[in-house]
Amino acid sequence: MSNMDQVLRKAVAAEDLPFAVAMAANRGGVTYSGAAGETAGRNAGEDTVFRIFSMTKAVGSLAAMILIERGKISMDTPVADVLPAWNDLKVLDGWNGEAPILRSSNTVATVRHLATHTSGLEYEFWNADVSKYLELTGKPSMLTGTLASLMSYPLTTDPGTRWGYGTGIDWLGRMVEEIDGRRIDAFCREEIFEPLGMSSTSFEPDSLTDRLCDVSIRGEDGHFAPFELAPPRQPEFYGMGHALYSTAPDYLRFLRMVLGRGELEGARILSEDAMGVMCSDQMNGLAFRKMVTVVPALTADFDPFPGARVGHAFAFMRNGVDIPGRRSAGSLSWAGVCNTHYWIDPLRDVCAVIMTQSLPFVERRLMKVYAAYEEAVYAAL
């Protein structure tokens, strides 16, 4: 325990992170909880509320998996069968000067493609062509929270042909709404958060504001400065790629449910078989591709385990080999853009989070802290 505490304290003292909250657990319960630093005038701790951004994606994928288990859809259901507007999306196939060259897709996008980031949709932060397209067309970003923003992003490849990190889970959440009839916030609250006891997880920060931490960005002088970044308030639709606020203990309950193969403390969210499918590789032979930044102030490049095969399950990134001193093959992970990170190692029965609110995402200094914390977690097993 002292080793994990020391990692956090040293990181904050060195300004590798502005502050940190970290926790670890197994199927039976919490095995470590620690924090270092201050945020919003308070000591960081278990009650600190974070904008978890893309950690929302696993929740959105679970929502879809619940409907799959109930027979409402399948992984191979075409997106356009539920959301016909999908067929209006075109593939960006190059440029004629400043004019985009667009064509129809040669393949059919499915639920599986949305969940595994192989649908052809990519964020503007990691694809220069998409950034250029949005700038030239004036189309709204997904972070505007408008329904129109779903149609802003062209496809960059034919669905099912390449990994590309983007807005697929936002479409997946809309499919859940269309099929189930409930708005996605009500679905998640009733089907996931309330059964799991995630009482500090919400799509709006209203009841959490007094515990909400600050976001910082590293300036050219190397020091952190305040920065405003948050999911849109009261949007036209809640994007399941980014919309949630949560705490370390709450998200750890979600991770423990995954470790428990769909069950936590008597609350069963998915059957063991369905959870097994959700956590297995669903890439159909494709693999994760290094994410190369277009906006270095916001995010660094991301290649978590260079040289190792990394795939994607239905809800998580999935490493294909053991990482020495760290997670096992078949471990699951992802993160939020303000540097909230988690992993789940079913083989070793461990899950953990390390969370702050800083930019750039996955900068080298932060990732060294992440690795040191993970190594300390495994050394304590």
Side-chain angles (χ1 to χ4, degrees):
M1 301 303 177
S2 61
N3 288 343
M4 288 175 265
D5 288 337
Q6 190 175 38
V7 168
L8 302 185
R9 288 196 298 265
K10 283 185 174 181
V12 172
E15 212 172 343
D16 295 328
L17 312 175
F19 67 94
V21 179
M23 298 183 71
N26 57 30
R27 290 180 182 87
V30 176
T31 57
Y32 169 75
S33 178
E38 295 183 356
T39 177
R42 305 169 73 244
N43 288 332
E46 289 189 9
D47 62 345
T48 300
V49 174
F50 297 83
R51 304 152 191 83
I52 64 169
F53 283 101
S54 287
M55 285 168 66
T56 307
K57 287 180 167 69
V59 178
S61 297
L62 173 62
M65 197 69 204
I66 289 171
L67 294 188
I68 290 172
E69 182 171 35
R70 293 174 183 172
K72 302 293 186 180
I73 51 172
S74 77
M75 287 193 183
D76 297 316
T77 298
V79 180
D81 283 5
V82 179
L83 301 173
W86 178 272
N87 282 335
D88 294 332
L89 297 182
K90 303 296 183 183
V91 178
L92 179 58
D93 208 21
W95 299 88
N96 182 6
E98 296 294 277
I101 300 170
L102 300 170
R103 64 168 174 83
S104 296
S105 173
N106 293 320
T107 57
V108 175
T110 66
V111 167
R112 189 193 315 270
H113 295 145
L114 294 179
T116 58
H117 304 292
T118 57
S119 68
L121 291 169
E122 295 189 62
Y123 285 121
E124 63 269 36
F125 317 115
W126 288 286
N127 187 296
D129 283 328
V130 174
S131 178
K132 179 179 178 181
Y133 179 86
L134 293 182
E135 182 179 357
L136 290 177
T137 61
K139 293 181 181 292
S141 162
M142 186 61 70
L143 285 180
T144 62
T146 60
L147 284 167
S149 66
L150 279 170
M151 305 303 298
S152 293
Y153 294 76
L155 305 181
T156 56
T157 55
D158 291 309
T161 61
R162 193 187 75 187
W163 157 274
Y165 187 54
T167 60
I169 310 299
D170 300 287
W171 281 87
L172 192 60
R174 288 285 297 121
M175 291 185 75
V176 171
E177 291 182 323
E178 190 68 22
I179 293 163
D180 180 77
R182 283 173 286 182
R183 206 170 67 170
I184 195 66
D185 55 329
F187 184 98
C188 291
R189 183 176 62 253
E190 294 166 11
E191 301 282 356
I192 301 171
F193 303 152
E194 289 178 353
L196 293 179
M198 296 171 65
S199 58
S200 291
T201 301
S202 177
F203 286 84
E204 293 291 341
D206 300 339
S207 63
L208 309 172
T209 301
D210 62 336
R211 296 188 280 136
L212 186 62
C213 57
D214 295 327
V215 179
S216 300
I217 190 167
R218 196 180 297 282
E220 292 182 1
D221 62 359
H223 299 296
F224 286 114
F227 189 79
E228 293 294 326
L229 183 64
R233 300 286 297 272
Q234 299 295 332
E236 289 183 5
F237 82 105
Y238 288 110
M240 289 308 295
H242 59 263
L244 284 174
Y245 297 79
S246 192
T247 63
D250 262 30
Y251 207 82
L252 202 67
R253 293 187 67 81
F254 178 83
L255 302 182
R256 286 179 59 212
M257 178 273 298
V258 178
L259 272 184
R261 295 186 66 81
E263 185 269 341
L264 177 68
E265 297 173 357
R268 179 155 292 283
I269 308 301
L270 277 182
S271 69
E272 289 196 22
D273 287 346
M275 182 57 73
V277 171
M278 189 172 110
C279 296
S280 62
D281 191 289
Q282 297 295 333
M283 292 280 276
N284 287 338
L286 300 177
F288 171 92
R289 296 170 67 248
K290 180 180 179 179
M291 296 160 60
V292 178
T293 185
V294 176
V295 190
L298 181 67
T299 176
D301 294 348
F302 183 51
D303 188 7
F305 307 113
R309 189 186 186 284
V310 176
H312 206 279
F314 192 75
F316 314 96
M317 187 179 76
R318 189 177 190 274
N319 53 290
V321 298
D322 292 340
I323 308 303
R326 300 173 65 183
R327 66 194 69 173
S328 310
S331 292
L332 312 162
S333 60
W334 203 239
V337 72
C338 287
N339 284 308
T340 55
H341 298 262
Y342 71 88
W343 81 90
I344 312 164
D345 186 339
L347 185 64
R348 299 291 300 277
D349 186 25
V350 60
C351 59
V353 294
I354 179 168
M355 303 170 74
T356 190
Q357 297 276 260
S358 69
L359 296 169
F361 177 56
V362 297
E363 64 170 334
R364 183 181 298 274
R365 291 171 67 172
L366 182 138
M367 294 305 284
K368 286 183 177 180
V369 175
Y370 186 177
Y373 170 65
E374 187 174 342
E375 288 167 358
V377 169
Y378 281 91
L381 290 181

